Amino acid sequence: MREINFDGLIGPSHNYAGLSFGNLASMGNAGSIARPRAAALQGLDKMGRMLALGLDQGMLLPHPRPDVNWLRELGFAGDDVAVCRAAFAQEPAMLGAALSASAMWTANAATVSPASDTADGRCHLSVANLSSMLHRSIEPVQTLRQLQLAFADPRHFAVHAALPAALGDEGAANHMRMGAGHGARGVEIFVHGDALGLRGGAYPSRQHRAASAAIVRRHGLTDALLVQQSEAAIAAGAFHNDVVAVANEHVLFTHQHAFADPAQTYAAIRAAVPGAVIIEAPADRISLAEAVGSYLFNSQLVTMPDGHMTLVVPGEVRDTPTVWQWLGEQVASNGPIAQVEVVDVRESMRNGGGPACLRLRVAVSEAAHAAIDPRFLLDPAKLDRVATVVEAHWPEAIAPTDLGEADLWRQCMTARGALLSALGFAEGEL
Ligand code: SUG
């Protein structure tokens, strides 16, 4: 078994409209000028770094933006530009939602259970409904299309459509998997905010317990833990659990205040995963605010080809002295984290997601790997091709006033078309 990380390519419409309520970075940068081209190139650099580490890398594509099909469902009519113009004039918030590039956050695309954990021995993927945020609730239709194409072989994969919208489901961002290795049967850990989206604190909890329980049933998981996220974490802006914890194989790397009941959570993990190692950052060394601000836990904990683990962190971790100092101590302690890699994803992070938000993990056997549509898999040459398209077509800057401009809408559509054709997708295939 090997793990492939599918990163979301940051789309040409990437902008700071400040859309996610409760996501402090996105709210705080509302109204700034975004740099989609630079953001996408940073994302591609990260993918290249993973390839250079000897890891498998895939890519999911930006969704059509502005999403004129969705705007038409809302009653705006005419050709594409007329639809956008009417939306901008009558309901600018709807046009803003239809323009968001938030599909880049592929940790929210789906929940993935590898074949080793499921009753039927196939890898199951459930598209997330993202129903808590209007702009994100648009994504499941296109996500389903991409996953059905990428993972089309029913001998290896089962792709499920999103759950009913009343059950908030945010995908892999609230899901971890632990076990002896990527091939061994593991325990899947689902972290929910509350039972049915009843608001506890100032910000919405986006993952509902009932949604997690439904995924456990659908995927045929026998070893699953349902764990509650701490309210303090949500209040601090950790709207997804992957902002305060990350797991890989037998290792859990977590903030002290990630879970509502840490002692019980750790005990359940230790009972389920023999030899589990839990690395907990104490709040008196790293506050929740520093954890959320630096995105320390939104790093990728990956197993290298030689078996040791590397933590791929954003530059903000190095720029936060308390966090960098504590992390250095972990590496020096001869614990499971042998190495730290720093990546620069600042342009996208300003919309409230770090390295781990940009990727969806899919662990597969050799045979299942061979069954994946290769157009979604990357090598260095293809990365270069994509970078050339980005350099030629992605807008250099988007200011808030540009969102109402037909030129921007056209440029975003043309850019996506150029990408699809460079990757070998036929028109209308996605
Ligand atoms: O849903 N930001 C995303 C960030 C998601 C981060 N994902 C994980 N933690 N896994 C969100 O709040 C901002 C608006 C935009 O991107 O256009 C936004 O949607």
Side-chain angles (χ1 to χ4, degrees):
M1 294 283 280
R2 54 215 260 207
E3 180 180 89
I4 313 171
N5 282 285
F6 287 86
D7 277 44
L9 176 64
I10 293 145
S13 69
H14 166 57
N15 72 88
Y16 300 128
L19 292 180
S20 262
F21 180 62
N23 180 337
L24 302 186
S26 160
M27 289 162 76
N29 289 308
S32 326
I33 294 175
R35 302 198 302 141
R37 191 184 303 164
L41 292 174
Q42 286 180 343
L44 287 166
D45 267 359
K46 164 162 116 67
M47 298 179 221
R49 291 280 288 284
M50 301 296 282
L51 285 174
L53 290 175
L55 302 167
D56 287 298
Q57 186 65 49
M59 188 172 81
L60 295 176
L61 310 182
H63 293 193
R65 293 290 178 268
D67 192 336
V68 283
N69 289 338
W70 182 73
L71 292 172
R72 283 202 173 88
E73 280 173 30
L74 303 184
F76 300 109
D79 63 20
D80 288 354
V81 166
V83 163
C84 295
R85 257 207 192 102
F88 182 63
Q90 296 168 42
E91 300 233 38
M94 296 302 140
L95 180 70
L99 263 170
S100 168
S102 56
M104 73 177 88
W105 312 115
T106 53
N108 303 118
T111 307
V112 185
S113 298
S116 43
D117 302 348
T118 63
D120 67 4
R122 294 187 298 165
C123 171
H124 284 247
L125 303 96
S126 274
V127 172
N129 62 26
L130 296 169
S131 57
S132 302
M133 296 286 145
L134 177 73
H135 69 290
R136 303 223 55 186
S137 70
I138 306 172
E139 295 171 35
V141 176
Q142 171 68 202
T143 301
L144 181 64
R145 284 177 79 160
Q146 293 198 27
L147 297 186
Q148 280 176 335
L149 210 53
F151 304 103
D153 189 335
R155 288 170 305 165
H156 297 289
F157 300 106
V159 178
H160 305 263
L163 291 169
L167 309 181
D169 178 26
E170 299 279 320
N174 282 62
H175 172 255
M176 301 183 289
R177 177 181 185 277
M178 293 182 71
H182 292 310
R185 187 193 185 101
V187 60
E188 302 205 3
I189 306 163
F190 292 79
V191 189
H192 56 269
D194 57 26
L196 256 182
L198 308 169
R199 240 189 232 183
Y203 297 136
S205 88
R206 291 162 59 165
Q207 181 74 32
H208 306 167
R209 188 181 194 282
S212 299
I215 305 272
V216 171
R217 285 188 294 272
R218 277 176 157 195
H219 289 194
L221 302 176
T222 36
D223 289 330
L225 297 174
L226 266 60
V227 171
Q228 186 159 5
Q229 194 179 2
S230 84
E231 272 214 5
I234 298 175
F239 46 95
H240 291 133
N241 177 67
D242 68 2
V243 176
V244 280
V246 59
N248 185 50
E249 299 191 347
H250 64 293
V251 179
L252 173 67
F253 182 59
T254 180
H255 190 271
Q256 184 186 353
H257 293 323
F259 307 107
D261 187 342
Q264 197 187 39
T265 304
Y266 301 162
I269 288 174
R270 289 200 169 99
V273 184
V277 175
I278 298 174
I279 308 172
E280 185 197 77
D284 61 8
R285 293 291 308 274
I286 298 179
S287 66
L288 265 177
E290 284 168 324
V292 175
S294 67
Y295 271 57
L296 169 64
F297 299 98
N298 200 256
S299 41
Q300 293 178 237
L301 186 57
V302 291
T303 306
M304 305 289 288
D306 68 4
H308 78 258
M309 289 193 198
T310 292
L311 192 71
V312 181
V313 302
E316 284 69 4
V317 164
R318 192 173 45 197
D319 299 341
T320 312
T322 45
V323 172
W324 189 242
Q325 165 73 28
W326 181 81
L327 181 58
E329 290 168 24
Q330 304 315 305
V331 177
S333 72
N334 279 329
I337 303 174
Q339 190 183 324
V340 173
E341 280 277 319
V342 181
V343 293
D344 182 7
V345 286
R346 183 168 166 65
E347 295 296 328
S348 52
M349 255 187 56
R350 297 181 75 222
N351 244 340
C357 300
L358 287 168
R359 65 93 169 87
L360 183 68
R361 304 161 88 168
V362 184
V364 287
S365 65
E366 290 297 332
H369 186 282
I372 296 172
D373 185 328
R375 293 175 296 181
F376 292 95
L377 297 173
L378 289 175
D379 57 35
K382 198 189 281 187
L383 261 186
D384 285 349
R385 283 212 309 278
V386 175
T388 305
V389 174
V390 166
E391 267 156 9
H393 292 283
W394 263 231
E396 195 177 344
I398 300 185
T401 47
D402 295 331
L403 299 179
E405 298 293 333
D407 282 349
L408 175 71
W409 311 331
R410 286 195 202 96
Q411 186 177 359
C412 290
M413 295 180 204
T414 306
R416 184 173 186 269
L419 175 74
L420 261 55
S421 92
L423 293 173
F425 292 97
E427 217 183 307
E429 198 175 0
L430 272 178

